[in-house]
Amino acid sequence: MKYNNPVIKGFYPDPSACKVEDTYYLVYSSFQYFPGVPIFESKDLINWTQIGHCLTRKSQVQLDTVDSSGGVFAPTLRYNNGRFYMTTTNDTLRQNFYVWTDNIYGEWSDPINVDQGGIDPDLYFEDGKAFFMSNGIDDYGVSGIVQCEIEIETGHKLTPSRSIWQGSGGRYLESPHLYKMNGRYYLLAAEGGTEYGHMVTYARGDSPTGPFEAYTHNPVLTNRNLGGYELQGVGHGDLIQDHDGNWWLLHLGFRQTGQYLTYHHLGREVFLTPITFGDDGWFTAGHEGTTLLSFETDRITDTIVQQEKKEFTFENTDWNLDWCYLRHPVTANYQLEADKVKLKGTSITLDVPASPTFIGIRQKDFNAIISCEVSLTSGEAGITLYMDENHRYDLALRKHLEGYEIIERLNIGDIKSIEHTKSIGQCNHAALIIKSTPTHYHFYAQIDGIETLLGTAQTKYLSSEIAGGFTGVVIGLYATGESQDFNATFTNFSCIYS
């Protein structure tokens, strides 16, 4: 069959997977968003459905005042003796920890901390032992991939942290994962930085503690030399074996807004690439070491059809799965119903690293029509295309002394400007519409069935290349302005991709 990449679109970076019986499970980074660490499941590796989050309680993760792209970094998901483990880093606190559950559809434990630095932690289980790895500096001052043995019940270190591999020479050695395959131990990593030079490298050895011999032809996977190809930034992956014994790499990458336009604003997404072992026990990846936007393969039967959801509404999404908050929300400010949401604004705006009244859903593709009807009694409410506090576009309804107006606000770094306004008198209701292309957003207001273009803004100013950071655009519904009651009601939300 032919399948298309990415297999999960939008801001879902740093994937890590495990297989239990006939089901694959996958987790991702969530940074400053809550709930933390989304969980997806699949039966075929190409069709994925979200089933929950690992971090759903304030006691599990500290996100207050976390800057954008801070908070929860790359997780690893593993299964051992009937129990799931997810280990990750709260980078703002520089703390590695893990949580566990016996029911992946239920709640997870409170965190168990590990006294080892670095980021991108990994867990490997063998013969009753648990090995913990991260990137960083070991107890002897040596940098690289650092490993110790821990007591899994408590997180206490049983051995000193020791650097076991220094990579292939690329910068930012990270994302370690350890596997036993065909009687040998394989250590997978990422190098080059999660940008255009990103790559997957690996080494192998005869013991889980090393020494490890690097693959001669590292990097095993990278798109760094594919100029003029939409898919870039390939790296940070996890190996998974399918039902038939084939190996695959689930990894991140990003799509440029155009063939030679080196900007991306959807975030880092999830790609699936086949792995092939040679007779010498070393493996290669993808098409001559690169990842493609589509692969022809006989590893997946033609009876499986790759599905893609094209329309997202209040009615066909789940508030607890598809939507997210900025940091820990004040739940009293949200009234979530099957066909609408009511928001209570506060003095906290989208300009600060706090928790404004905001609920968002990830933008999943370039071409889209985003629309929602908004009613307002006071303050301001509308749709924001949110990259971070300093990089976002707002289309909103606002009350002022003479009545109501619709505004288009652009926030680009230190420049925050209301570009266009449209007065609507005493009418406190409007339909807000954003039409998205790869390179531009177009902002419309619809009053009494008449659609008016307010303005246009380039998508590149919400890209990682300009904004920095590790996230992607989230389509947010928000309200500001202190009120005793709910001051904004949103109905008829729709995001349609083409």
Side-chain angles (χ1 to χ4, degrees):
M1 73 158 306
K2 178 181 179 180
Y3 72 88
N4 297 318
N5 272 317
V7 292
I8 301 179
K9 293 183 173 182
F11 156 51
Y12 293 103
D14 309 321
S16 176
C18 70
K19 178 176 175 290
V20 180
E21 297 177 348
D22 66 343
T23 306
Y24 309 98
Y25 300 97
L26 199 57
V27 294
Y28 316 91
S29 299
S30 51
F31 297 97
Q32 74 270 30
Y33 290 95
F34 185 82
V37 188
I39 313 168
F40 283 63
E41 71 173 9
S42 174
K43 298 291 187 181
D44 55 29
L45 289 174
I46 59 170
N47 295 298
W48 294 89
T49 303
Q50 189 170 352
I51 60 172
H53 297 82
C54 297
L55 306 176
T56 57
R57 304 186 304 279
K58 195 170 185 178
S59 63
Q60 292 174 304
V61 59
Q62 191 333 78
L63 294 177
D64 294 336
T65 69
V66 165
D67 288 333
S68 291
S69 294
V72 179
F73 274 34
T76 294
L77 182 66
R78 293 294 181 257
Y79 181 78
N80 185 61
N81 290 335
R83 178 164 288 179
F84 291 91
Y85 296 87
M86 187 283 296
T87 182
T88 187
T89 308
N90 187 330
D91 185 65
T92 302
L93 302 180
R94 310 303 294 180
Q95 179 64 63
N96 286 314
F97 67 93
Y98 57 92
V99 293
W100 58 266
T101 185
D102 296 328
N103 175 17
I104 200 166
Y105 304 99
E107 287 289 306
W108 292 66
S109 72
D110 276 341
I112 299 172
N113 294 332
V114 179
D115 185 21
Q116 179 169 291
I119 60 171
D120 299 0
D122 176 76
L123 278 171
Y124 176 75
F125 297 93
E126 182 174 273
D127 296 334
K129 295 182 178 181
F131 297 91
F132 185 88
M133 293 196 308
S134 59
N135 80 332
I137 300 174
D138 70 10
D139 291 345
Y140 308 98
V142 181
S143 63
I145 300 301
V146 177
Q147 181 191 76
C148 67
E149 184 183 343
I150 64 170
E151 182 181 68
I152 195 62
E153 292 79 14
T154 65
H156 292 159
K157 288 170 59 172
L158 301 177
T159 64
S161 296
R162 185 175 63 88
S163 180
I164 59 173
W165 192 49
Q166 283 69 53
S168 68
R171 65 174 184 166
Y172 302 139
L173 176 62
E174 57 192 350
S175 180
H177 292 305
L178 185 64
Y179 317 86
K180 189 175 185 180
M181 302 182 292
N182 305 320
R184 282 180 167 159
Y185 297 87
Y186 291 77
L187 179 56
L188 194 74
E191 300 180 50
T194 184
E195 302 152 354
Y196 288 84
H198 213 24
M199 54 186 172
V200 178
T201 60
Y202 77 99
R204 73 179 187 189
D206 295 322
S207 164
T209 59
F212 291 95
E213 176 190 1
Y215 174 50
T216 304
H217 303 292
N218 273 324
V220 66
L221 184 71
T222 185
N223 280 21
R224 64 187 181 184
N225 294 324
L226 293 184
Y229 192 59
E230 180 183 338
L231 171 53
Q232 297 291 333
V234 167
H236 197 125
D238 202 359
L239 292 170
I240 191 80
Q241 189 174 31
D242 68 17
H243 309 310
D244 299 315
N246 302 304
W247 285 92
W248 301 81
L249 185 62
L250 284 157
H251 59 89
L252 64 76
F254 56 76
R255 290 176 289 159
Q256 295 182 159
T257 55
Q259 183 177 5
Y260 295 106
L261 299 176
T262 54
Y263 302 99
H264 73 283
H265 61 280
L266 300 182
R268 296 169 297 159
E269 305 174 293
V270 181
F271 295 80
L272 179 69
T273 298
I275 295 295
T276 302
F277 275 90
D279 294 337
D280 57 1
W282 297 100
F283 64 81
T284 57
H287 174 69
E288 298 179 350
T290 66
T291 296
L292 303 179
L293 287 168
S294 64
F295 279 102
E296 290 274 1
T297 180
D298 58 3
R299 298 183 182 187
I300 302 174
T301 174
D302 289 334
T303 60
I304 295 173
V305 178
Q306 188 172 19
Q307 307 287 341
E308 184 175 1
K309 187 175 181 177
K310 289 291 189 179
E311 183 173 5
F312 295 79
T313 66
F314 287 154
E315 291 80 5
N316 73 5
T317 55
D318 189 318
W319 292 114
N320 296 316
L321 296 177
D322 301 285
W323 297 79
C324 58
Y325 304 92
L326 280 167
R327 305 168 189 88
H328 294 295
V330 178
T331 56
N333 294 334
Y334 302 80
Q335 185 174 311
L336 309 176
E337 302 180 17
D339 60 350
K340 63 183 174 183
V341 57
K342 293 183 177 180
L343 300 181
K344 184 190 297 184
T346 71
S347 60
I348 300 173
T349 71
L350 299 173
D351 297 323
V352 295
S355 187
T357 302
F358 165 105
I359 187 165
I361 190 168
R362 291 158 171 85
Q363 183 177 347
K364 300 178 185 298
D365 224 329
F366 295 117
N367 295 302
I369 298 176
I370 305 157
S371 61
C372 195
E373 295 181 26
V374 183
S375 297
L376 185 71
T377 59
S378 64
E380 176 183 317
I383 304 173
T384 181
L385 302 171
Y386 187 93
M387 186 63 160
D388 61 31
E389 289 83 11
N390 296 312
H391 300 85
R392 69 174 202 276
Y393 299 152
D394 305 331
L395 180 63
L397 186 60
R398 183 170 71 172
K399 187 175 183 181
H400 56 85
L401 291 177
E402 289 76 30
Y404 295 86
E405 63 184 0
I406 298 170
I407 64 169
E408 175 211 359
R409 181 191 292 115
L410 306 185
N411 299 265
I412 304 169
D414 295 326
I415 303 172
K416 303 180 188 302
S417 172
I418 295 178
E419 291 290 293
H420 299 94
T421 63
K422 178 178 176 59
S423 177
I424 56 175
Q426 297 304 311
C427 178
N428 72 338
H429 178 90
L432 306 178
I433 303 167
I434 303 173
K435 298 180 181 179
S436 172
T437 70
T439 58
H440 288 83
Y441 292 110
H442 306 273
F443 303 94
Y444 297 82
Q446 188 181 82
I447 308 295
D448 297 328
I450 300 175
E451 194 173 288
T452 302
L453 175 65
L454 268 73
T456 297
Q458 296 181 63
T459 59
K460 72 177 183 179
Y461 293 112
L462 302 186
S463 70
S464 295
E465 287 77 12
I466 290 178
F470 307 117
T471 60
V473 169
V474 174
I475 303 164
L477 309 179
Y478 76 96
T480 60
E482 293 190 77
S483 173
Q484 296 298 314
D485 202 353
F486 295 98
N487 63 321
T489 301
F490 296 78
T491 56
N492 293 320
F493 174 82
S494 176
C495 181
I496 301 174
Y497 296 104
S498 59

